[in-house]
Amino acid sequence: MDIKANLLAVKKSFQNPECKLIAVSKTKPIEALKEAYEAGIRDFGENKVQEIQWKQPEMPADTRWHMIGHLQSNKVKYIAPFVHLIHGVDSFKLLKEINKQGKKIDRAIPVLLQIHIAEEESKFGFDRAELTEMFADSEFLTLSHVQIKGLMGMATFTENQGQVRKEFRGLKQLFDDLKSQSLPPFVQLEEISMGMSGDYLIAQEEGSTMVRIGSAIFGAR
Ligand SMILES: *Cc1c(COP(=O)(O)O)cnc(C)c1O
């Protein structure tokens, strides 16, 4: 697997050269991450707390760790001190726990809210109504140790590119709608994390600012 060549090919294919690339290194050995680091990558995505925990001390200090998977509330404390961005915040309960852990260490932890855009039942995330409900909750306004930096979504796993495009477009629409509302100061919507190896080009066409790419860089898992 030529990680450097894959990275170059992926970067070259970008529809939007400004879009940030998160290299999804879950299940891959530390040598693979180091190879990507040497090729210039600083942003790495992992989906298991335990795996981030053992990989983090093995990598240079300027590595930025992105938690991209479903995160259990009881594990937030293990990554709170160093995680660069938590992409998959899919409930108010989890957001409150992140806030609590941030408070303990006096750090406002950067997060994205995961939005349910796929047809599949299994994908986690808020829907529009749940988001509105949370924003209207008086407890939401008291959050002091999270920074909500944007939204994240995963499209349906399908060959139907029209459907994938429609789902990404819906996420961008929601992002724009929210941006036009008045929101508390800890909500600064800047990022839309959407697009993986199979659909990042469509995602970029639909306004993604951050793509999470694993297999196209590191090979199949
Ligand atoms: C694994 C994973 C990715 C990367 O998937 P690839 O298809 O390998 O690019 C992106 N986002 C999330 C949330 C993932 O779990």
Side-chain angles (χ1 to χ4, degrees):
M1 189 51 57
D2 189 342
I3 291 170
K4 190 173 180 185
N6 290 346
L7 273 168
L8 284 172
V10 165
K11 278 276 199 180
K12 203 168 165 220
S13 72
F14 269 23
Q15 299 295 307
N16 170 13
E18 304 284 297
C19 186
K20 297 178 184 116
L21 170 60
I22 316 301
V24 177
S25 48
K26 63 191 186 194
T27 78
K28 297 296 174 183
I30 206 75
E31 293 72 32
L33 281 75
K34 288 191 169 154
E35 217 175 310
Y37 183 94
E38 268 148 39
I41 293 293
R42 293 295 176 271
D43 294 277
F44 290 85
E46 293 282 342
N47 70 342
K48 293 216 164 70
V49 167
Q50 262 201 316
E51 199 169 334
I52 297 200
Q53 273 185 292
W54 74 255
K55 283 178 172 173
Q56 189 254 344
E58 301 289 325
M59 291 292 286
D62 65 346
T63 302
R64 295 187 287 261
W65 297 97
H66 296 252
M67 177 66 201
I68 62 168
H70 178 64
L71 176 59
Q72 286 172 283
S73 291
N74 61 356
K75 294 194 172 154
V76 173
K77 55 180 175 286
Y78 301 118
I79 57 170
F82 65 86
V83 68
H84 182 70
L85 184 63
I86 300 175
H87 290 233
V89 177
D90 55 6
S91 71
F92 193 15
K93 173 175 176 265
L94 177 59
L95 187 64
K96 284 188 273 195
E97 175 63 18
I98 296 169
N99 185 68
K100 183 176 150 194
Q101 295 302 330
K103 209 167 193 167
K104 276 192 194 164
I105 55 171
D106 196 25
R107 175 172 190 234
I109 300 172
V111 304
L112 304 178
L113 301 176
Q114 182 169 357
I115 309 300
H116 186 279
I117 58 171
E119 266 191 354
E120 290 118 302
E121 280 292 328
S122 63
K123 300 247 160 90
F124 296 101
F126 291 93
D127 62 28
R128 215 178 244 266
E130 288 166 342
L131 211 55
T132 307
E133 192 184 325
M134 179 172 78
F135 284 174
D137 194 305
S138 58
E139 215 183 334
F140 180 75
L141 297 171
T142 68
L143 297 176
S144 54
H145 288 80
V146 287
Q147 293 172 257
I148 299 178
K149 299 196 80 83
L151 306 180
M152 179 268 207
M154 283 170 89
T156 304
F157 187 71
T158 171
E159 295 286 304
N160 183 344
Q161 301 212 338
Q163 182 175 349
V164 170
R165 187 178 294 281
K166 199 177 80 193
E167 291 171 1
F168 286 151
R169 193 165 290 180
L171 184 57
K172 172 70 160 75
Q173 184 65 56
L174 175 60
F175 178 85
D176 290 341
D177 290 351
L178 293 176
K179 261 185 95 83
S180 70
Q181 292 177 20
S182 106
L183 296 164
F186 64 90
V187 187
Q188 300 279 344
L189 300 177
E190 291 157 13
E191 306 289 353
I192 309 177
S193 169
M194 60 182 187
M196 320 191 349
S197 293
D199 57 20
Y200 69 92
L201 294 175
I202 301 175
Q204 288 180 337
E205 284 167 6
E206 297 301 331
S208 171
T209 67
M210 238 179 209
V211 288
R212 310 174 310 268
I213 301 186
S215 46
I217 298 170
F218 297 107
R221 286 180 297 273

